[in-house]
Amino acid sequence: MDISTLIPSFGNGAFTVLWFVVALSIIVAIHEYGHYIVGRWCGIGADVFSIGFGPVLWSRVDKRGTRWQIAAIPMGGFVKFKGDANAASGKDGAAMAAMDESELRHTMHGAPLWARSATVAAGPVFNFILSILIFSAVMMTNGQVGEKLIVGEVWDMPNAPYELREGDVVQAIEGTALPSFDDPEAFDAFSTDLPKADPLTYTVQRGGDVIDVTGPYLYPALVKSLAPRSAAYNAGLEAGDVFTAIDGQPIVAFSQLKDVVEGGEGKTVALTVYRDGETQQFDLTPRRVDEPNNEGGFVTNWRIGILGGIAFEPATETLGFGEAVHAGARQTLRIMEGSLSGLYHIVTGGISSCNLSGPVGIAQTSAAMASQGTENFIWFIAVLSTAIGLLNLFPIPMLDGGHLMFYSYEAVTGRAPSDRVLQVLMTIGLVVVLGMMLFGLTNDLFCP
């Protein structure tokens, strides 16, 4: 079932909170399970495995003595290992003083350095594994377009019906031979040179015959998907909408829409939209968006928040398991690189600090992705899992990266930082983390 069908059952606020909790709970559960299971493999016992904080809503104790629980505040989770004083893995000195050497080995603080390091690193690693698996599964399900462009479902367009049919193999459009679809540069150049008209003449192979048929403009002003929290999303545009005019001027190509929006530098545009056989009017004000470029930096553009596509769903070929995993790993790596680049440019002033969202923004994005269908929501979980795994590797006390920093110090010097130093650093880390959350929340509330 598509989860978007559940939307009418909830008010906007409840819907936003619900899907944020669902997304965060899945990611936290995987992250904390990584800590737990690798710790167990390394001989470190766990007293508590918790999803959420605060009052316990449900719990049970397994045969190893670990209490599994769900708590009332679904804003994270923790594993409390043996020897921990609290959810932040502070040392329980009194409890450890009463343990013998054998018992100490099964605590977080008494285990060998390699065991502690592996246990701490496992949380972010499991987040990355979750992302790779989700990306891979989606790519295997959707497949990939091969060298030949084969027509799948033709979208509902203003000038329909066309003679183009599902299963047609496109060979040429307006007499120009089609380049290989898996050569993006050649295909972009080909589509740019097409006449801005609708319909166009397609030369297709249908069965054993090669015939000319009418078909839509290849890259129409079509809404394939919407960016969460964008001007288009907030205005109520939907996937499948087709723009037929902008500021009263007829258009057929997505590039025509793009040129007017980008060239207007934020000027409100009047859009005529075709939807389900009828036309509607929308007034949208583009927003400034900082986007990564090919040189590793960012460029500022004006956007209304829609992603276009070709006028029909291309038929796809099944992706092999190895190819899908490789593509999923590359997608995860791209998100990590983009996140680090974005943070660097925010810190150095290269782009607006409004690019950093807080919990409200993430919650709104969760709801927006859920409203666009199950696949979009699952994809968002993978993106968020990568981001949370990466954030946890930052060398900030309180985070996994902070603990790994302490372990690196211990590996180099041969001794761990003193308990007093650790307490001070953990306090500083807590202030930094809370400051980051407050900064993100401020952006959610006051950024345009």
Side-chain angles (χ1 to χ4, degrees):
M1 181 179 69
D2 191 327
I3 58 177
S4 63
T5 61
L6 298 176
I7 293 175
S9 302
F10 302 95
N12 288 337
F15 177 73
T16 297
V17 172
L18 170 68
W19 294 117
F20 175 58
V21 170
V22 170
L24 187 62
S25 296
I26 292 171
I27 293 166
V28 166
I30 295 297
H31 180 97
E32 298 302 334
Y33 187 76
H35 288 314
Y36 165 78
I37 193 63
V38 173
R40 200 179 88 187
W41 292 340
C42 294
I44 302 173
D47 292 330
V48 180
F49 183 106
S50 180
I51 301 300
F53 298 95
V56 176
L57 303 178
W58 171 90
S59 71
R60 75 173 183 87
V61 179
D62 67 16
K63 62 182 180 180
R64 292 183 175 84
T66 302
R67 178 176 297 278
W68 298 75
Q69 66 182 39
I70 297 175
I73 304 174
M75 294 299 292
F78 63 90
V79 178
K80 183 176 177 290
F81 290 103
K82 293 186 181 301
D84 287 349
N86 48 48
S89 295
K91 184 189 295 186
D92 187 344
M96 293 186 64
M99 296 180 184
D100 59 30
E101 187 173 337
S102 175
E103 291 174 312
L104 286 172
R105 170 58 183 85
H106 296 293
T107 68
M108 185 63 165
H109 305 278
L113 181 59
W114 65 267
R116 286 177 278 147
S117 300
T119 300
V120 169
V125 169
F126 269 54
N127 280 136
F128 300 145
I129 291 173
L130 172 65
S131 299
I132 293 170
L133 291 177
I134 290 177
F135 289 140
S136 302
V138 171
M139 292 174 184
M140 286 185 68
T141 301
N142 292 341
Q144 67 177 0
V145 180
E147 291 185 12
K148 296 180 180 179
L149 181 57
I150 303 174
V151 178
E153 178 185 359
V154 181
W155 307 128
D156 180 25
M157 304 293 291
N159 292 328
Y162 302 100
E163 296 169 342
L164 193 68
R165 296 289 180 267
E166 185 174 345
D168 287 346
V169 182
V170 182
Q171 296 187 342
I173 301 177
E174 291 296 317
T176 302
L178 199 74
S180 173
F181 195 72
D182 59 5
D183 184 347
E185 291 186 4
F187 203 86
D188 285 347
F190 167 81
S191 60
T192 300
D193 292 338
L194 288 175
K196 301 296 189 296
D198 190 302
L200 296 176
T201 300
Y202 283 65
T203 301
V204 301
Q205 180 181 340
R206 180 179 295 174
D209 300 322
V210 175
I211 59 176
D212 287 339
V213 297
T214 60
Y217 183 79
L218 187 60
Y219 278 97
L222 167 74
V223 179
K224 190 71 178 294
S225 62
L226 297 101
R229 305 168 64 203
S230 64
Y233 180 84
N234 292 339
L237 288 169
E238 300 175 0
D241 288 346
V242 181
F243 299 103
T244 58
I246 182 167
D247 291 333
Q249 299 299 314
I251 60 172
V252 297
F254 191 88
S255 60
Q256 293 172 306
L257 172 69
K258 185 172 180 286
D259 289 343
V260 173
V261 170
E262 289 184 352
E265 297 187 346
K267 177 185 175 183
T268 298
V269 292
L271 297 167
T272 303
V273 175
Y274 171 85
R275 179 189 296 173
D276 298 330
E278 300 179 351
T279 58
Q280 301 183 31
Q281 300 295 322
F282 293 85
D283 291 332
L284 270 68
T285 303
R287 300 174 182 173
R288 293 187 61 170
V289 178
D290 296 310
E291 300 173 329
N293 58 27
N294 295 329
E295 287 73 42
F298 282 78
V299 60
T300 298
N301 287 314
W302 293 95
R303 297 282 187 249
I304 59 174
I306 63 171
L307 179 67
I310 63 177
F312 50 85
E313 186 71 34
T316 59
E317 302 172 351
T318 302
L319 212 62
F321 178 76
E323 292 177 297
V325 171
H326 183 252
R330 281 185 299 156
Q331 178 65 28
T332 302
L333 184 60
R334 279 195 294 269
I335 293 171
M336 294 170 67
E337 291 174 343
S339 298
L340 290 173
S341 176
L343 184 60
Y344 169 79
H345 284 85
I346 288 174
V347 171
T348 59
I351 60 175
S352 170
S353 60
C354 287
N355 286 279
L356 185 65
S357 295
V360 174
I362 296 172
Q364 291 173 339
T365 302
S366 301
M369 297 304 286
S371 71
Q372 295 186 58
T374 305
E375 182 178 308
N376 286 317
F377 181 66
I378 292 173
W379 188 274
F380 171 72
I381 289 176
V383 173
L384 187 58
S385 182
T386 300
I388 288 177
L390 180 62
L391 175 63
N392 268 278
L393 286 177
F394 285 5
I396 300 172
M398 288 288 295
L399 301 181
D400 295 330
H403 289 288
L404 292 173
M405 180 176 62
F406 299 148
Y407 297 155
S408 298
Y409 173 85
E410 184 178 346
V412 171
T413 65
R415 65 181 186 278
S418 69
D419 291 344
R420 181 174 178 78
V421 170
L422 283 177
Q423 289 176 358
V424 172
L425 292 175
M426 295 292 275
T427 301
I428 294 173
L430 177 61
V431 172
V432 171
V433 171
L434 291 176
M436 291 171 61
M437 292 179 62
L438 181 60
F439 181 75
L441 181 60
T442 302
N443 284 351
D444 293 338
L445 298 176
F446 299 109
C447 283

